[in-house]
Every structure is written in C-alpha cells, then in structure tokens.
Amino acid sequence: MKLYHFTKLFAVMMLLVVTSCKKYGYNIPDGYPDDSKTVADGGIDTNMKLIDKSMYAKARVFPGLVDQTEPRVQGVKFTMNLKFTDQTTDNLRISVAPQPQFSTGYYAAPGELVKIDVPAGIEGLTVQVGGHTDNLGGKYPLLRDPLVYMRQRLYTGANYVRNLYGGTIYFIANKSYENPVEFTITNACVSPDFILGQTTDAEWVAKVTASKVPWLELRTNRVIFLIPRDKVIKTLTSAEPFNNPTAVMTKWNDVFDLDYNAWMGLSDNALDPVDRSPQGAWRGVLDIQLSLGYGHSGFPFVGLNDDYWFASFTSLKSITTSAGQWGTYHEFGHNCQQGRVWSWSTLVETTNNLFNFKVANRIGADYKILHPSVTTGFPQAIAYASGTVAKNFDFDGAMNDPFKRMTPFVQIFEQFGYGAMTHLYTEARHAPRLNSNDLAMHNWVYEKLSDYTKIDLAPFFDAWGITYSDAVAVKMSSKYPLLTKQIWTYNPLTKSGGTGTIVYNTSVVSTSSPVQEGTVAALVDNNPATYYHSKYSSPTPAESYPHTIVLNAGANIAIKGVYFNARAGSNRAGDGKDIEIFYSRDNLNYTSIGTTTLPNNANRYEYIFPNGNINAKFFKIVVKNGYSTNPYIVFGEMNLIKP
C-alpha cells in the first residue's frame, strides 16, 4: 500500500517537471517564447563529451576520422560575411547558379557534438556538416555510404549538431545580411584552409602538415575547392609539389572572374541586377564515388578523387597551359549553359566546352592540346561544311559529335571576337521569353550573332545546315549586308582559311523533262548561244506541258527577278508562253510570286518580282503552255536576276 502511494506521488512529481519544460524538451534558452503549452517527447543531446562511434568504421573509409590529438576549439568567436546577391538560375537563365553557402573554416569530427551559438536577430540560417553532397542511392557496389552529410536549421542561441561521418562545416543563408555576423563555436576542429589574400604559402604548408583534419578548402572570391589533405601531403615530396596555392588560386580566380562570369556578361557592379555576377563562389569537390560519371556538374561540381582531378585543381602547370583542364572547364561549363534560350538539344555536350576555348584564347594556349578529339573533329567538321550536298547540322551522322559541333561557334569567336558569346548570354538573360524548341533556338542564335557582327550570316548557317525560319531570314537580310567570306572553311587549329569569296552561282536543281539536245546547265551559263531542249522524241505526258524547272540561287539571298532568252536564231520565246514563278527556302515549301506571259519573240525578257526582292534559295519556274502545239520547250537562258 505504501508502495502504491509512493508510485502515485512520483508520477505526479514527474508530470509537474515535464509540463514545466518547453516544447523542445530541454531547458536551454533559445530566444523564442513558447506559449504552445505542448511537450515534445525525448530531448536534445547536449552532452559534449559523448562521441557517437556507431559509424566510425564507415567514416574511417570516407571522409576519414580526425585524430584525438587534433585540438577542438572551445568557445571561439568567428565572424562571417553573409552578404550576397541572390542570383538564381532563373535570373541568369543558366543550368546551375552558385548558392549562398558560406565556409566557416571549421571541421566536425565524426560522431562528435559541435555547439554553435547564433546571436539574436539572425534568422534563416542552416548549418551543413559535410561537403560531399552527392547522393549515391541506388549505386552498386558502394564505396561509401550514400549520404555522408547533414543539414539542420540554426536558431538564435545554442545549437547542437552532430554528423556521424563528420565533415566541413558550412552555413547556408536564405537572406543576406549587410554587416558581418559574429558566431561562437565549440568542439570543432580548425580546417587548414587556404584563403587567397589572407594565407601565405608557407603558413598554409605548415598548417596542412600539422593538421589531422582529412579535408580542407582552397578558397577565392570566385571559386572554392574541397580537396583531401593526404593528397596535398603526398605532393609535398613529389616532383611537382603543391606548395604554391597563391599562384594556383590566383589563376583559378581569374578563370572564373574573366572566362566564366565576365564572358557571360556578368560584373559585380552592373546597373541591372540581372547582369550582376553571383556573389557566392562556385564550388568543386573530389569524392571517391560519384552519382554519375567520372565528373559531373552541379553545386558543387564533383570530380573523382584521383590524381587527374586533384592535379586539375592544384597544378600550376595545368591551369597556366590548359593542358589537363578539359574536364573541370567542361563540368563548370555545364552549369553555365543556357539551354532554355539558345543552347539547343544537340548542343548539350557542346556549348559547355566553349569555355575551354575562351580560357585557352586568353592565356595563349594551343587549341590542339585541349583534347585529342579537337584535332580530328574540327577538320572533319570543316570538310562537312564545305560540301555541297544537302546538310542538317542536328541529324546528319557526319556531325553527330560534340567536338565537331563546337567548330562553327569557335569559328565565329575567332573571326568576329569572343565578345559574341557575351552578346548571346546577355541577350538571353534579357530575352522577354524562353525558346521552347530547337528551331526557335536556331533562329535566336542566327539573329543575335547577325546583330553582333552586323552581317547577315545566313550563308554561314546554310553551310553548316543549321535551319532557320523565313521570317528571321527576311528580317536579317533587310538589316545587314550578306556575308561575303567563306568563314566556315576557317580552321581555328591552324588559324588559316576562311578568306575565300562567296560566289553565289545559279544552278539547275531539276527539270521535269530530260534534255534532248544541249545541256541542262546551259540554262544558267550566261551564254544565250548554248541551250537546253526538252525531250521531243515521244515525250510522256509528264515530260510535256506544264514544264517545271527548279533553280538554286546558291544561298538564301535576295533575288530581283528572272530573265529568259530563247535559243539563239529562234524567232519565238522558246515555245513557252504563260509562266508562273514560285520561291522556297528549303526546296519543300513553295510560295507563288506571280505569273507572266513571255513575248512571242527571241529577245531577252525580264520578269521583275512585283513586290520587291525575294530572299530565298530555290525558285521554281512553271511553263504552263506554249505559242505552238509542240510539247517541248527550248531556252538559251533561264536565269535569276540579282539586285
């Protein structure tokens, strides 16, 4: 009986204790009043001495343990600059934009509790422990656990965070703070990071050598790399030691400042916010296993933790020559593609690589060392563009290669300046609408590059088989003079070619009746003494009236009219009388221009188009009937008149 009363008394006392607690289940002031009167089950772990070693075996594999001799800071104050411009993928119209993720310079040991004190008035922060955010769910076999990072909201007051795998500590902000913010951290390790402009090379080498933290960052304003300490230590005794981070990261900062941000038309102080460069740094990390491929884009970009990728981040020789840098520029280039405005569907692995050429051009590197496929792809692509057969850039097997598809863009840059890319990016950010299909993107690039060069580039796009709409062609031909040089023959690898004058000679595509006398080519050889005579020996109905002849102007160019000459010595108009003329840009869809009647004599007759010049490549002449009952026609000339 006494035991029963004791049990009841104990239960009441415990109820009073529990109901007096806050809803979070622990008595730690956090700066927020709690009027909910609710009670949460469980509690918050605040035992700083307890180490959860349940994932030690896996953390040892990746990302690594931290030796107990490595000092853990106690109540250290540090200041963070959380000011940023919120540049999103929608603003910049690129695939991936830098996020407001800030490096603290601290590292959490696996399973150890870290305390972070946030000052009053600071809201909207998230702490992330671990820089390796690639989710390997579904991969087999696994070299590490699928998720080795964690995120947790931060609130005013004391915050406790633990990652069983450990990792670099970051803050992620959802709002910008004008002034620096001071935080306090306990039980974290100092990461031996290099910060351009703040850390000397000798200081950094000493810090890395003394540290037991497995990962460290190389930081600049524009880009941050997360690399393993053990690889740095290994290089210090190699033929090419990584002991010069100032020189390396200065070059990297230039690349992102000049060849990514500036080349896309972004600057820190642009008047229009849309044209301002991201204030957060781009990020790259190395990992022992990737969710996709040998390297992949994203924030952060991820490369395999091997010697190639490590050298691409840290080798001064690599960054100053562009040799061995294809992969890094390639993946960051993916982040910067404008696939919703102008980088159409077959350019997914093409336009991202253009940044390789921009860097190489600025530092004077030889394009031939960028990638082996460049040296073979460019000449093959130029041969394709120089051919006379019908072409389709997107679907022809001869061009089904990203290195070949880079060629026309590099030709434009080399012939008219690398500012052409800046123009494309800037115009894309300010475009009133996105483009939903490839043809719209073809049109957009044709128009914007013509605007940039002040030249109608239709012949260039024709040579490459990049289709475009009639309306855009008419618009460009009315604004700018037509391209006069065969720039599609220019070879960026040898800096030669592309100087030949474009000659637009008319040719005969087809005739409805085979030739009986003379030649088909005689119709357009500018010699009235030669002639074409259609079949007169037992012609079939299809070989009689109406006779159809299709002429090719050589390009989609302005044509004023058509002229006719009867056969020399004849006193009739080639036996033709009533004629209708059509035009087409693709030899598929034809539109009537008008009709005319040839005079019944042998003199030259010109039909000038009634509504002005027609910008087209193909012209179809239909001879409906003749002055005699003969079923054939004979002409000395049937040619186009240019303005």
Side-chain angles (χ1 to χ4, degrees), residues 382 411 414-415 487 489-499:
I382 293 168
Q411 287 177 331
E414 291 280 308
Q415 294 290 298
I487 61 173
T489 66
Y490 172 78
N491 189 338
L493 303 180
T494 60
K495 312 294 185 184
S496 62
T499 59

Side-chain angles (χ1 to χ4, degrees), residues 13 35 62 64 82 225 342 407 477 490 596 603:
M13 290 175 62
D35 297 321
F62 191 85
L82 302 177
F225 294 128
W342 66 270
T407 312
S477 64
Y490 172 78
T596 188
N603 299 329

Side-chain angles (χ1 to χ4, degrees), residues 396-628:
D396 287 346
M399 286 298 292
N400 187 22
D401 177 87
F403 295 93
K404 295 177 183 178
R405 288 180 176 142
M406 297 171 206
T407 312
F409 293 96
V410 180
Q411 287 177 331
I412 290 291
F413 300 154
E414 291 280 308
Q415 294 290 298
F416 298 105
Y418 276 73
M421 188 77 147
T422 309
H423 183 73
L424 287 179
Y425 268 87
T426 304
E427 289 292 305
R429 286 194 301 276
H430 292 271
R433 58 183 174 274
L434 304 178
N435 291 319
S436 59
N437 58 67
D438 282 359
L439 179 59
M441 296 187 192
H442 291 184
N443 288 338
W444 199 89
V445 173
Y446 166 37
E447 179 175 353
K448 298 307 175 183
L449 288 182
S450 294
D451 286 340
Y452 176 77
T453 61
K454 306 301 180 186
I455 297 171
D456 181 2
L457 295 175
F460 179 77
F461 283 78
D462 290 340
W464 282 106
I466 302 173
T467 57
Y468 48 85
S469 300
D470 292 353
V472 179
V474 171
K475 180 180 178 181
M476 293 301 100
S477 64
S478 64
K479 290 176 66 175
Y480 307 116
L482 197 63
L483 181 68
T484 60
K485 298 294 183 182
Q486 299 177 26
I487 61 173
W488 57 86
T489 66
Y490 172 78
N491 189 338
L493 303 180
T494 60
K495 312 294 185 184
S496 62
T499 59
T501 301
I502 300 174
V503 179
Y504 301 106
N505 292 320
T506 307
S507 61
V508 181
V509 176
S510 64
T511 61
S512 58
S513 173
V515 63
Q516 179 97 41
E517 294 181 12
T519 64
V520 171
L523 284 169
V524 293
D525 64 358
N526 295 309
N527 181 4
T530 61
Y531 64 93
Y532 158 82
H533 198 307
S534 68
K535 187 176 181 181
Y536 55 79
S537 299
S538 304
T540 65
E543 296 167 342
S544 302
Y545 288 109
H547 289 276
T548 299
I549 296 173
V550 177
L551 304 180
N552 183 340
N556 284 303
I557 59 176
I559 298 298
K560 181 180 180 180
V562 182
Y563 74 88
F564 304 85
N565 280 100
R567 179 173 51 179
S570 172
N571 61 357
R572 296 194 305 275
D575 287 307
K577 181 181 179 184
D578 296 317
I579 289 177
E580 186 169 6
I581 300 174
F582 302 80
Y583 76 91
S584 172
R585 302 186 63 82
D586 56 10
N587 199 25
L588 296 174
N589 304 295
Y590 278 89
T591 301
S592 177
I593 298 172
T595 61
T596 188
T597 299
L598 299 178
N600 192 18
N601 59 57
N603 299 329
R604 170 171 168 145
Y605 173 74
E606 294 185 353
Y607 173 69
I608 304 301
F609 299 152
N611 294 318
N613 298 343
I614 299 293
N615 191 290
K617 185 175 183 179
F618 301 98
F619 292 84
K620 180 165 62 178
I621 295 93
V622 179
V623 184
K624 298 180 177 180
N625 51 53
Y627 280 99
S628 71

Side-chain angles (χ1 to χ4, degrees), residues 58 61-64 130-137 139 142-149 165 214-216 225-228 230-231 284-296 300-310 312-313:
K58 294 182 177 180
V61 174
F62 191 85
H132 300 92
T133 55
D134 227 4
N135 186 343
L136 304 186
K139 298 288 287 188
L142 282 171
L143 302 183
R144 66 162 173 84
D145 268 5
L147 290 175
V148 293
Y149 77 102
Y165 304 90
W215 290 83
L216 59 94
F225 294 128
L226 182 63
I227 61 173
D230 62 352
K231 274 188 162 51
V285 306
L286 301 180
D287 201 332
I288 62 170
Q289 189 173 15
L290 280 62
S291 61
L292 179 66
Y294 185 44
H296 68 73
F301 144 75
V302 186
L304 192 66
N305 186 26
D306 63 6
D307 291 342
Y308 168 81
W309 284 110
F310 181 79
S312 73
F313 283 5

Side-chain angles (χ1 to χ4, degrees), residues 60 64 120 124 134 155 189 204 217 234 282 291 326 407 437 533:
R60 186 189 305 275
D134 227 4
Y155 300 95
C189 303
W204 179 73
E217 289 193 323
K234 182 180 178 181
W282 295 92
S291 61
W326 187 271
T407 312
N437 58 67
H533 198 307

